[in-house]
Amino acid sequence: MSNKVKNNHLLSYPLIALASSGDVDAINTVLKHYEGYIATLSTRQLYDESGNPHLCVDETLRRRLETKLITKILAFNVA
């Protein structure tokens, strides 16, 4: 499974098929592929006690998004 992610940054069909069948390594590869996007979606602007803004990843939201992705992967019907 060395070409799980091709040069065009798309997930391969065999990887998707393995992930949808419940293969843990394939699911982890899909999560790794989308980790930057998930981190971007879960980034929030927080303020410290002085009122200075800071960007940080909301870990609860990040975990919820990962869980939702895993749920959708396992429910995906590969034709």
Side-chain angles (χ1 to χ4, degrees):
M1 295 183 73
S2 61
N3 8 330
K4 291 179 184 175
V5 180
K6 294 183 180 181
N7 290 337
N8 58 6
H9 304 291
L10 296 176
L11 297 172
S12 67
Y13 177 81
L15 176 68
I16 294 169
L18 281 172
S20 67
S21 69
D23 183 271
V24 175
D25 291 332
I27 292 171
N28 286 333
T29 302
V30 173
L31 287 173
K32 181 75 174 163
H33 179 78
Y34 286 108
E35 78 178 344
Y37 181 60
I38 290 172
T40 300
L41 289 175
S42 58
T43 299
R44 299 289 177 242
Q45 187 172 25
L46 302 176
Y47 297 92
D48 62 14
E49 57 276 344
S50 302
N52 299 320
H54 297 280
L55 292 177
C56 49
V57 174
D58 181 347
E59 291 298 322
T60 304
L61 180 56
R62 185 178 67 80
R63 289 289 181 199
R64 287 178 60 202
L65 290 171
E66 287 177 347
T67 302
K68 189 68 161 183
L69 178 57
I70 292 169
T71 303
K72 293 300 180 179
I73 289 169
L74 293 174
F76 187 72
N77 186 13
V78 179

